[in-house]
Amino acid sequence: MNSIAIVGAGPQLGLAIARTFGSQGFDVALISRNRTKLDELVRTLTAEGVTAAAFPADVLDRDALAQALKDAAARFGGIDVLEYSPVGTMASTVLTTPVETEPAHVQHEIEFQLYGAIAATNAVLPAMREAGAGTLLYTTGAGSIDPVPQVGNVNAAAAALRNWALNLHKELDGTGVQAAHVGIDVSIGMSVVPGFPTARPEEISPVYWDLHTTQRDRAELVFSR
């Protein structure tokens, strides 16, 4: 049985990715800091016939994140796919333009996006390399590619994660392990910025399945309208 670990398992895109892989027989490990929301997602997936389990951990606590992934691997006999897409809240994320940005504004985002991704990867990659198979997928907004001044600090950290993921793809070439970046150039579910395109999460989630199956040579896919 194959399994996917979704870090930052949100009620929109995370759930859609879980459904996409679950419909293909994958077990699903859901990892985020909110146990109550995780349990709700597990109940939803279980009712739909998907085997899922919750492993609460805050991506800012790198030891806890690594342990959650190790626990998930033990539960499901390994992790075949890692998807990393933590989503901040307005309470924890201060948005700044480049001119307004202080080092502390970027530091939190770097911890959240890049360092969390590195910690998660370090927890699953050795087993993937030993097996000669696996998929590592990292999600950011498209501001990591074409930045927007209003979210300058978030874009800077997302760009760092994108750069690292693309470089990881190069390093793992020929090992059987795929690493790729997914850029989301739409609002998910509802429009946040007037006039900005939107997409339903279930329209986006097949991109992740394609990268795992038919487009393993791709270092990056951007979903846009």
Side-chain angles (χ1 to χ4, degrees):
M1 183 68 70
N2 293 320
S3 64
I4 179 172
I6 302 174
V7 180
Q12 294 196 71
L13 184 57
L15 178 58
I17 294 170
R19 284 171 165 156
T20 294
F21 280 78
S23 69
Q24 300 294 329
F26 273 64
D27 295 332
V28 178
L30 301 175
I31 300 171
S32 74
R33 62 182 173 222
N34 191 316
R35 177 80 200 211
T36 300
K37 290 183 179 179
L38 283 181
D39 288 342
E40 291 174 359
L41 294 174
V42 168
R43 284 193 293 270
T44 297
L45 291 167
T46 300
E48 296 172 3
V50 176
T51 300
F55 300 89
D58 189 330
V59 299
L60 295 174
D61 185 339
R62 293 191 281 279
D63 289 340
L65 176 57
Q67 187 61 52
L69 285 161
K70 290 176 182 177
D71 291 345
R75 169 73 177 272
F76 293 128
I79 298 297
D80 301 283
V81 180
L82 170 71
E83 194 281 318
Y84 186 86
S85 56
V87 179
T89 65
M90 295 308 295
S92 64
T93 303
V94 177
L95 304 179
T96 61
T97 69
V99 169
E100 298 168 333
T101 299
E102 298 289 342
H105 295 140
V106 179
Q107 181 62 35
H108 175 270
E109 292 303 314
I110 286 286
E111 293 272 358
F112 191 63
Q113 298 195 56
L114 178 61
Y115 296 169
I118 292 172
T121 302
N122 288 342
V124 301
L125 181 55
M128 290 182 177
R129 296 201 70 168
E130 184 176 352
T135 302
L136 304 162
L137 303 174
Y138 308 91
T139 304
T140 73
S144 63
I145 304 166
D146 184 14
V148 179
Q150 290 87 339
V151 288
N153 59 323
V154 174
N155 286 170
L161 173 54
R162 174 180 180 255
N163 179 283
W164 181 80
L166 298 182
N167 215 12
L168 182 62
H169 175 90
K170 294 178 181 179
E171 183 178 8
L172 294 176
D173 183 44
T175 67
V177 181
Q178 157 76 333
H181 170 250
V182 179
I184 308 296
D185 195 20
V186 295
S187 292
I188 301 174
M190 65 177 64
S191 178
V192 177
V193 179
F196 194 68
T198 64
R200 291 177 292 109
E202 45 287 355
E203 294 179 276
I204 303 170
S205 58
V207 165
Y208 296 84
W209 182 253
D210 290 345
L211 284 168
H212 174 61
T213 56
T214 61
Q215 301 200 50
R216 296 188 61 79
D217 60 330
R218 294 286 296 270
E220 180 171 66
L221 277 177
V222 178
F223 185 96
S224 62
R225 290 295 195 195

